[in-house]
Structures are given as C-alpha cells and as structure tokens.
Amino acid sequence: MRGGSGNGGNVTLSTLNGNINVAEEIDTFSYSGQGGSGNGGNISISTVNGNITIAQPNSLLGLSSFSKDESFNTPGTIYPSGKAGNVTVSTLNGFIDLRGYVLAYSRASSGNSGGGGNVDFSAINGEIFVTGIDTDSFAHNTNSAKGGNIRLLAINGDIHTERLSSGSINVQGNSTDGGSISVISTGGSIFLVPSSIYEVRISSASVSDASGNSGNGGDILLSARDGDIVGISFGPPNLQSFSAAQQGTSGQGGNITLEAKNRISGLEIISLSSTGKAGDIQIHGFGDLSVANLSILSALSSPFTYPFTSQSGRIIFTSTGNLTLNNSRIASTTVGSNPADDITITSAGTTTLNNSFITSQTSGAGDGADITVTAQSLNLLQGSQIATSTSGSGQAGDITILVDDQLWLSGAGAGLFSSATPGATGGAGNITIDPDLVLIEDGATISIDNQGTGRGGDIDLVAGDLVLRNQGAITTNTTSPQGGNIILTIQNALSLQGNSVISTSAGTPQVGGSGGNITITALSILSSMAENSDIVANAFNGTGGNI
C-alpha cells in the first residue's frame, strides 16, 4: 500500500459454555509498502467452561497481530511502523492448545518501529500448549521500541512451549528494552521440549547492530513451585537475556529466575551485557531439588562477535531441602574493571555435586566472584570442583564453605581450587572451611596455585576431625614473593593415610618464590610411616615456608 495504511481491526471470539475450535490462521495487521503503517489490532479469545484449540494444518502460524512498513528504498523519507496489537487467550475450566506461533511484532524498514504487543495466555484449570510467541520490535535505520511482554499462566496444569522471544532489535539506530517473559504453573510442571523443526529458546534481548546504544534485556521467570522444569539442551543457549551494542553502550542483561520443587534439567542459561552488567540468575528449590544437565553462564560468552567488557551478575541457588547437581556447570566471568557479583549456594540439607563445576574467573581489573556454600553437608564427587581463578590484575574470588556436619571430597580432580595464571598480577583467592568433619580421599585436593606475581591465598580450615586418605591433598604453590599459608585448627584428630600430603611449595626449577607457612593445631596427629604420607614445605627455587 502507498501513502500509509490505517489500523488493523480487533478480533474477539468469546463463549461462556463451550469449546472454541479455530482451523484457520487469525490475522489482524497494518501493512504499508510505502508511507508508514498503523497499529495492529487486538486479538481476544476466551471461554469460561471449555477448551480452546487453534491448529491450522500444514502451517506454523496460529495468531498474528502486527504492524509492518517496508518503505526501505524511498530517498529522503522516513516512515514508521505502528504498534502491534495485544493477544489474549484465556479459559477458566479447560485447556489451551495452539500448535503454532503467535506473532505480535512491529517492523520498520526506514523509520521508528512501534512496540511489540503483549501476549497473555491463562488457563485456571487446564494445561497450556503453545509452540512459540514473538513480540519483537525491529527497526532497520532509526530506533526500535520495547518488545512486548509475554505471560503464560496455568493455575492447575502443565505448560508446554518451545520458543518465546521478546526483543528490541535495531540494525543502525538505538534499541530500547526487551520485554519480560513469565511462564508460571502453580500446580504443575513446565516442559520446554521441541516438537517442531526449531530448537527450544526463550529469549529477551536489546540489540543495536551498529553505532547505536541498546537498552536492557527483559526479566525471565519460569516458576513451577509444585512441579518440575524440564528441557532438552543442545546447541546455543536456550534461556537467555542480554543487552548488546556493537559500537555504542549497552544496558543490563535481564534477571533470570527458575523455581521448581524437585527437578530442573536440560537448560543452558545465559545473562550478559556487552558493556554493562549481566543480570542476576537465581535457582530456587522448594523441596529436595535435583538439577541435571544445567549450564549457567553469567557474562561468559555471547552469540555475537562484539567486544564484551561486561560484569557478571549474582548467581544464587537455594533449596528448602537437599540440593543435588548432576553434570552441571555454573560459571561467572568478568573481563572489565568492575568486580563480579558473588555466587551463593544455600540448602537446608546436603548439597552434592556429581561431575559438576562451580567456577569464577576474571581476566580484567575487576575482582572475580566470591563463592559461598552454606549447607548441613557438602559432597564433591566424580571430579566435581569449586574453583576461582584470575588471569588479569583483578583478584581471584574467595571460596567459603559453611557446613555444619561434613565436607566430603572424593575422586581424582575433585576439590576446592583457587589459582592465578602466569602473567597475572592479581592474586589467588582464600579458601575458608568450617565443618565438623573434613574427608579428602582418592586423589581429591584442596589447592591454591599462584603462578602470577600477586599474593597467594591462604587455606584456613577449622574442623572437629580432618582425614586425608588414598592420596588426598592440601597444597599451596607459588612463584610470587608472598606464598599462601595453610592453617589447620583441628579440635580432635588429624589423620593422614595412604600417600596423602599437606604441603606448601615455593617456585619451580625455573622461577623463584617464597613459600607459605603450615600451622597445625590438633589434639593428635595420626599417620603411619609405612603409608608414606607427608607434611612438607618445599622450595624448588626460593624460600620455603615454616612448619
């Protein structure tokens, strides 16, 4: 259409008692080929007692309300697009089944784009099935408006979905904020499992692809406090909120929160900002929470090739019962000058890591995130690690273990680690431990390895009993003038068995250093000479510490 287009009309389907079945696509839009487009119309579909089914054979589209202007090649003219309409689908007693996509977007080729529409699905007593929702605002030349908000709410039922997207995307101008995304099942579970040709992705973003600035990524909430959150992770991150500006400044990444009772699995979560701060990532369990095949990346990587100097946000895990992490990774990375926010893990019962990793790393001037674990007991098994490191001038984060009963480290590669790489001017962090019993066995280690020029961190362990057996180790190594100390305060017995070691080392055959001291206070120290366990302070090329 030339000369601009008007607004799309509103569409309403409503019944009090009965099902609503739609076998064709429902569209209301404003489109202009030259001259600017108006607003898309609103779509409302509702029933009190009945099911809502929208399925068009051989099509991925279900509902669409959009505003689109394609006046791209008209010299000297700027034509905006209007706002997309809102889409509301609701039932009190019944299910919602939309095996297709809901589009509520605004696109502008030459002028500003309007806001994306808000999409709200609610089923009070029933399940929700929806393939995907897109509420983006996209502008090619000028400014893009806010992405629309998305909410899926099932009070007594499960929610099944694959792709939810709300963004403010701009090619050459400024973008504003991505919309919020909420998926809430108060009495059921959330399933993020692909049934179409597309991979699962829930995304809220603000992106400026050239010289403009970007706004904030929107917040994302997945809540199933009486159920599970189940996904299948493959390919790129499938749960993400970010702000990215190629040449300008960016806002903050959005906060991402997951709530479940017993299970969260199969998700890769990322929050980041190219020049600002990543959002907080929170996982809350309302029972004995098992987390499997989960990856959390705060300011670690990006789907873009932009230069990133961002600061990681907080990462928080809580559980009202036990907390178990299987084959999972939690990572905080900071590359700029601002310090990272902390990682905190809190459970009322036992926290167990199986082949899982909690890491904090800094490569810039900002200090890395501290890691704190609070629980009744903590088990690190099958090579699981809690580790901090620095490769820049920032300080590696500290590790603090606050457990009442037992700290159990078992297996080769498992343990608590803090390090500074060669060339780093920041130092390794401190490791502080305060349980009743510490058991380190089968090649597990508590270690500080300071290969840079900063001060090495200390290992400060207070326990009722400390047992090292079958090549268990507590070590500090340094090439700096200030090596880390080992301070062991044991109320009862220190037991070394089966080629275990407590050691500080200064330097390497090529590089000098000053080793830390070993201070042990214990009622008794138990070790057999035949088992070849040692307490040593070595100096390969430098000054060794005292015992």
Side-chain angles (χ1 to χ4, degrees):
M1 176 178 179
R2 294 181 179 272
S5 60
N7 298 325
N10 297 326
V11 177
T12 301
L13 300 177
S14 178
T15 181
L16 181 63
N17 295 299
N19 299 325
I20 296 177
N21 299 303
V22 179
E24 297 292 336
E25 179 182 335
I26 297 177
D27 297 328
T28 172
F29 60 87
S30 177
Y31 172 82
S32 175
Q34 182 177 330
S37 58
N39 299 323
N42 298 322
I43 298 175
S44 176
I45 302 174
S46 64
T47 179
V48 175
N49 298 300
N51 303 317
I52 299 174
T53 303
I54 304 171
Q56 182 185 15
N58 304 317
S59 175
L60 289 175
L61 293 179
L63 305 174
S64 61
S65 172
F66 62 87
S67 177
K68 187 174 184 179
D69 179 80
E70 294 187 334
S71 308
F72 188 76
N73 294 316
T74 307
T77 59
I78 296 177
Y79 297 115
S81 62
K83 183 184 183 299
N86 299 323
V87 177
T88 304
V89 182
S90 65
T91 178
L92 180 63
N93 296 302
F95 63 75
I96 298 172
D97 189 353
L98 198 163
R99 301 303 170 98
Y101 278 79
V102 179
L103 305 181
Y105 65 80
S106 178
R107 302 282 192 272
S109 296
S110 63
N112 297 331
S113 60
N118 298 323
V119 176
D120 192 291
F121 279 45
S122 62
I124 305 304
N125 295 299
E127 294 186 300
I128 295 176
F129 300 83
V130 58
T131 302
I133 299 171
D134 179 352
T135 63
D136 291 349
S137 174
F138 176 89
H140 192 279
N141 286 330
T142 53
N143 301 318
S144 56
K146 181 179 179 295
N149 299 324
I150 299 172
R151 188 185 75 150
L152 305 180
L153 172 65
I155 301 300
N156 296 302
D158 298 333
I159 297 177
H160 305 254
T161 190
E162 300 177 38
R163 291 176 70 89
L164 306 176
S165 175
S166 176
S168 178
I169 314 298
N170 201 290
V171 176
Q172 298 184 27
N174 299 318
S175 60
T176 51
D177 298 340
S180 64
I181 299 176
S182 300
V183 182
I184 303 169
S185 174
T186 61
S189 296
I190 297 171
F191 296 93
L192 308 175
V193 179
S195 61
S196 67
I197 61 175
Y198 300 106
E199 72 273 9
V200 170
R201 183 169 300 173
I202 297 179
S203 175
S204 179
S206 177
V207 179
S208 177
D209 233 356
S211 59
N213 303 320
S214 60
N216 300 319
D219 293 341
I220 298 175
L221 169 65
L222 272 61
S223 179
R225 292 192 175 191
D226 286 325
D228 304 328
I229 300 175
V230 180
I232 297 178
S233 179
F234 59 90
N238 52 24
L239 189 58
Q240 57 188 14
S241 178
F242 57 88
S243 176
Q246 186 174 31
Q247 299 177 27
T249 60
S250 65
Q252 295 187 0
N255 299 322
I256 300 176
T257 303
L258 276 65
E259 301 175 338
K261 185 174 184 179
N262 295 317
R263 178 188 176 194
I264 297 175
S265 64
L267 296 173
E268 185 167 338
I269 304 169
I270 184 170
S271 178
L272 59 87
S273 169
S274 58
T275 64
K277 182 180 177 182
D280 296 340
I281 299 175
Q282 301 188 49
I283 309 291
H284 299 298
F286 294 87
D288 290 332
L289 180 62
S290 176
V291 176
N293 302 313
L294 181 77
S295 177
I296 293 179
L297 313 175
S298 178
L300 183 66
S301 61
S302 164
F304 303 97
T305 58
Y306 304 167
F308 271 68
T309 59
S310 57
Q311 172 190 5
S312 64
R314 296 183 302 167
I315 299 176
I316 300 172
F317 270 70
T318 67
S319 176
T320 60
N322 299 320
L323 174 63
T324 303
L325 275 66
N326 298 310
N327 305 314
S328 295
R329 178 189 184 194
I330 302 167
S332 168
T333 295
T334 289
V335 297
S337 58
N338 293 316
D341 278 344
D342 296 339
I343 301 174
T344 58
I345 314 293
T346 305
S347 71
T350 297
T351 295
T352 301
L353 277 64
N354 296 305
N355 188 35
S356 296
F357 303 87
I358 302 173
T359 63
S360 160
Q361 195 269 340
T362 177
S363 59
D367 291 344
D370 295 334
I371 302 174
T372 301
V373 180
T374 303
Q376 284 295 113
S377 295
L378 173 62
N379 306 322
L380 271 61
L381 313 175
Q382 300 177 24
S384 296
Q385 297 182 3
I386 298 175
T388 66
S389 65
T390 179
S391 57
S393 58
Q395 185 77 11
D398 295 333
I399 298 173
T400 303
I401 307 300
L402 303 174
V403 297
D404 294 331
D405 297 333
Q406 173 182 281
L407 170 63
W408 178 26
L409 312 178
S410 180
L416 309 174
F417 304 90
S418 186
S419 64
T421 62
T425 56
N430 299 311
I431 299 177
T432 303
I433 305 164
D434 186 15
D436 185 54
L437 170 65
V438 177
L439 175 59
I440 306 170
E441 64 178 5
D442 299 333
T445 303
I446 299 174
S447 173
I448 293 177
D449 185 16
N450 196 68
Q451 300 300 312
T453 58
R455 187 191 184 282
D458 296 332
I459 298 174
D460 191 345
L461 187 153
V462 178
D465 293 279
L466 171 60
V467 178
L468 289 84
R469 64 190 183 200
N470 299 330
Q471 299 182 334
I474 300 175
T475 66
T476 65
N477 304 300
T478 187
T479 58
S480 79
Q482 294 179 294
N485 301 311
I486 297 176
I487 305 164
L488 307 178
T489 304
I490 312 302
Q491 182 178 356
N492 299 313
L494 165 60
S495 176
L496 283 84
Q497 308 166 19
N499 199 28
S500 295
V501 64
I502 299 172
S503 71
T504 61
S505 297
T508 67
Q510 293 79 31
V511 182
S514 297
N517 301 318
I518 300 175
T519 302
I520 300 175
T521 303
L523 186 64
S524 60
I525 299 176
L526 308 174
S527 182
S528 171
M529 293 183 62
E531 295 190 8
N532 196 30
S533 295
D534 296 298
I535 301 174
V536 295
N538 295 316
F540 290 99
N541 187 2
T543 303
N546 300 313
I547 300 177

